[in-house]
Amino acid sequence: MLQVTKNSSSSPPPEKTLSPSSSSPDFSKTTSFFSLPLLHPRSCLLLFILLLQILILSFSRNRPISLSSSPPPLTIAISVANSSNNLKLNPNPNPNPITNSTDPCQFGKFFVYNLPAQFNYDIYKNCDKLSPWGSQCSALSNNGFGRKATGIDHFIPKNLTDAWYFTDQFASEIIFHNRMLHHKCRTLEPESAAAYYIPFYAGLAVGKYLWYDYSDKDRDQHCEMLLEWVQGNFPYLNRSNGWDHFLVMGRITWDFRRSKESDWGSKCIYMPSMRNITRLLIEKNPWDYFDVGVPYPTGFHPSTPTDVVLWQQFVLSRERHSLFCFAGATRGKIVNDFRGVLLSQCRNSSGSCRVVDCAGTRCANGTSAILETFLDSDFCLQPRGDSFTRRSIFDCMVAGSIPVFFWRRSAYLQYEWFLPGEPESYSVFIHRNEVKNGTLVKNVLEKYSKEEVKKMREKVVEYIPKFIYAKPNEGLGSIKDTVDIAVDGVLKRIKEQKEYDYKW
């Protein structure tokens, strides 16, 4: 049952009228003492002081407590299935907070560059030309959220279906841009800014040039022109050598790290002016300080804090029928394909595992079958994708399923700002070599007790707000989502760098 506790008014309650009680002094009985002032003046003075102290103490015990004019944090009590206890959920978990201040912009404000349309809006507008496999217009519609999700009415509460979209995994540049234009920490005065956001759609710009016979020049052109424009029109990039600038690059870092000619990707990150700019990527290079890993966009985009809480309640209390699941496709051209090993184990697990085989279908933007499978399973297998990470990790967790990793770089070295610092608190790790040598995933997962599974699921559900992208351009206010946490983190590290430089 959802219970929301908050003040109904911004003003404190009226003072209660103090009524006589057994703890209050009885003035009818004490008046006789005051008939003795001339006979015992010193005694009367002592009695008067004593009575005054009793009166003060009595008043303080009966006086109502003064309440703050600001409402307290939401308190949500969510009933856990098959449990006599209630879990207290904080919809905005922050055990290792980036910020504890009530000032939403304690680390300063940022300025948004007004770039020529060729670096963002024109790229978005030409969505039918962004991919060699067809138009991306549907996938990137609705300000990057994609088209509304369908086929989910029969297993998701009706009051939450509007929060679900078929969101493309490479849409974060658009989503971030819309949010940054309306962010509470944006300033229109560049001279007063602590940081500078570059709304360049680097991932969308390079996407179609990564395949086929495009040249290195094709892959590099947008990034080169962007840096030239920023340097030529504003002094701030050269002034700081880039360290107080940041941007979102909505693909994995390896798509921008071409070290040799004719290799994969662009060389955007290796361009001199880009080296000190903080880059928010869906997969980072763990050994590059200026790379920051941010969660892949999922299909869940809540409009209000209540949407988040109701979703947490739903996934936490949902009855699950499968021990584990696997959603994905094999890599037929890869020798000893690990995904094939997992798929085979899943199919041979005597009904303990559910499979969504993505061979021949496109699962990149999520489907109703994938979401329903994650909602029905205690654990979800998360091998590496084409790179070390995959969007399925967050699809899995937003459904309250516990991820099982086989590479530490799939999550533990990627999303420190967004996931718990103790991997074992929310996930299971099985080294891939153990599985290759015959270890059965089913046997490992069956060893976890119901209580252990319950605690891990609670931790996953607690952190859901941190890896979702809210729908309103202004954010969710009382709940910080991926964008809010990323902005806090970037501004904090830039402020710390300034303080370090000043000190030395």
Side-chain angles (χ1 to χ4, degrees):
M1 177 179 179
L2 180 66
Q3 299 175 352
V4 181
T5 303
K6 60 181 180 180
N7 289 346
S8 60
S9 172
S10 59
S11 60
E15 295 286 332
K16 295 181 180 178
T17 303
L18 185 63
S19 59
S21 67
S22 59
S23 61
S24 302
D26 187 343
F27 290 102
S28 64
K29 295 180 181 180
T30 58
T31 51
S32 60
F33 286 100
F34 291 94
S35 63
L36 304 176
L38 297 177
L39 298 177
H40 305 285
R42 183 174 298 179
S43 298
C44 288
L45 179 62
L46 292 175
L47 286 172
F48 176 80
I49 294 174
L50 178 62
L51 288 172
L52 183 62
Q53 290 176 335
I54 294 173
L55 181 63
I56 292 173
L57 289 174
S58 176
F59 178 79
S60 65
R61 280 196 297 266
N62 288 275
R63 186 174 184 269
I65 298 174
S66 176
L67 298 178
S68 170
S69 60
S70 60
L74 295 179
T75 301
I76 302 93
I78 294 181
S79 298
V80 184
N82 301 321
S83 172
S84 59
N85 299 322
N86 281 339
L87 171 66
K88 299 293 184 180
L89 271 183
N90 178 4
N92 193 27
N94 207 8
N96 296 303
I98 291 176
T99 173
N100 282 321
S101 173
T102 56
D103 180 4
C105 304
Q106 64 165 317
F107 301 120
K109 296 188 175 184
F110 61 84
F111 176 76
V112 179
Y113 283 118
N114 185 19
L115 300 181
Q118 69 185 95
F119 297 119
N120 43 51
Y121 289 114
D122 284 352
I123 296 172
Y124 180 56
K125 184 174 63 178
N126 293 316
C127 51
D128 58 328
K129 301 177 182 178
L130 293 179
S131 170
W133 297 287
S135 173
Q136 290 289 93
C137 294
S138 176
L140 300 177
S141 60
N142 290 318
N143 294 322
F145 295 140
R147 60 189 177 90
K148 294 295 291 289
T150 57
I152 61 176
D153 295 0
H154 64 286
F155 61 87
I156 284 182
K158 291 183 179 180
N159 59 342
L160 290 171
T161 55
D162 285 343
W164 280 91
Y165 295 77
F166 288 143
T167 304
D168 190 87
Q169 62 179 335
F170 300 132
S172 58
E173 293 162 348
I174 303 168
I175 298 172
F176 260 94
H177 189 191
N178 287 328
R179 287 285 298 280
M180 301 299 274
L181 291 175
H182 300 84
H183 200 280
K184 57 185 174 292
C185 294
R186 179 191 179 190
T187 177
L188 300 179
E189 301 296 332
E191 289 294 339
S192 66
Y196 301 85
Y197 166 63
I198 307 174
F200 170 43
Y201 297 174
L204 296 180
V206 77
K208 76 173 184 179
Y209 299 110
L210 295 174
W211 289 271
Y212 300 112
D213 296 326
Y214 290 105
S215 66
D216 294 338
K217 183 178 180 180
D218 292 328
R219 299 183 179 101
D220 298 338
Q221 59 179 330
H222 286 90
C223 193
E224 287 178 339
M225 290 189 296
L226 177 279
L227 292 172
E228 181 180 347
W229 186 90
V230 173
Q231 289 176 306
N233 288 273
F234 289 89
Y236 310 109
L237 184 67
N238 293 330
R239 185 179 67 185
S240 67
N241 200 23
W243 59 261
D244 56 0
H245 285 57
F246 67 103
L247 80 165
V248 179
M249 305 177 83
R251 301 184 68 94
I252 64 174
T253 189
W254 317 108
D255 290 341
F256 309 99
R257 290 180 175 272
R258 190 185 72 248
S259 57
K260 296 187 297 184
E261 298 306 310
S262 300
D263 278 356
W264 175 266
S266 78
K267 64 177 181 180
C268 187
I269 286 179
Y270 290 140
M271 293 179 185
S273 299
M274 184 65 72
R275 292 300 296 131
N276 295 328
I277 295 176
T278 295
R279 305 170 289 269
L280 304 177
L281 303 124
I282 53 178
E283 178 176 326
K284 71 175 185 177
N285 177 355
W287 297 278
D288 188 332
Y289 172 79
F290 293 98
D291 273 11
V292 175
V294 297
Y296 285 74
T298 69
F300 182 50
H301 304 290
S303 296
T304 66
T306 300
D307 287 347
V308 179
V309 174
L310 291 177
W311 181 257
Q312 288 177 298
Q313 177 187 24
F314 168 65
V315 299
L316 190 62
S317 61
R318 181 177 171 85
E319 184 178 354
R320 298 170 190 260
H321 304 93
S322 298
L323 177 63
F324 64 112
C325 66
F326 175 68
T330 60
R331 296 292 188 266
K333 296 181 179 179
I334 299 178
V335 179
N336 298 322
D337 174 33
F338 186 71
R339 287 189 176 201
V341 175
L342 293 180
L343 188 61
S344 177
Q345 281 203 19
C346 190
R347 285 174 170 161
N348 295 328
S349 293
S350 303
S352 297
C353 182
R354 289 186 59 165
V355 176
V356 178
D357 191 347
C358 293
T361 63
R362 185 176 183 183
C363 294
N365 294 344
T367 66
S368 57
I370 291 177
L371 177 57
E372 187 174 16
T373 297
F374 287 151
L375 285 169
D376 199 50
S377 305
D378 283 329
F379 299 92
C380 56
L381 307 187
Q382 296 298 334
R384 59 170 291 173
D386 294 325
S387 60
F388 284 100
T389 64
R390 60 196 300 241
R391 178 250 181 83
S392 178
I393 293 170
F394 296 99
D395 289 335
C396 156
M397 290 193 292
V398 82
S401 190
I402 301 163
V404 181
F405 297 117
F406 306 90
W407 279 263
R408 296 189 184 278
R409 286 176 63 180
S410 291
Y412 304 154
L413 303 180
Q414 285 292 333
Y415 309 106
E416 294 92 340
W417 292 357
F418 307 92
L419 296 179
E422 305 77 27
E424 67 281 357
S425 70
Y426 74 98
S427 67
V428 174
F429 180 77
I430 308 173
H431 199 284
R432 56 197 174 278
N433 289 342
E434 296 178 12
V435 178
K436 291 178 181 179
N437 291 332
T439 295
L440 295 179
V441 173
K442 176 185 176 182
N443 292 347
V444 175
L445 300 181
E446 285 179 334
K447 293 179 181 179
Y448 286 88
S449 67
K450 289 184 178 180
E451 183 62 26
E452 289 172 320
V453 172
K454 174 178 175 289
K455 287 183 178 180
M456 283 191 284
R457 173 163 299 110
E458 289 172 356
K459 182 61 68 173
V460 169
V461 173
E462 180 187 0
Y463 271 72
I464 284 177
K466 288 194 166 194
F467 48 78
I468 58 175
Y469 292 78
K471 185 176 181 179
N473 285 331
E474 297 79 12
L476 294 176
S478 61
I479 294 180
K480 291 190 174 184
D481 70 344
T482 292
V483 176
D484 295 319
I485 294 170
V487 170
D488 283 347
V490 169
L491 290 173
K492 180 176 184 290
R493 59 160 35 186
I494 289 174
K495 181 179 181 181
E496 290 175 344
Q497 179 66 38
K498 285 184 179 180
E499 292 173 348
Y500 177 85
D501 290 344
Y502 179 80
K503 180 179 179 180
W504 294 99

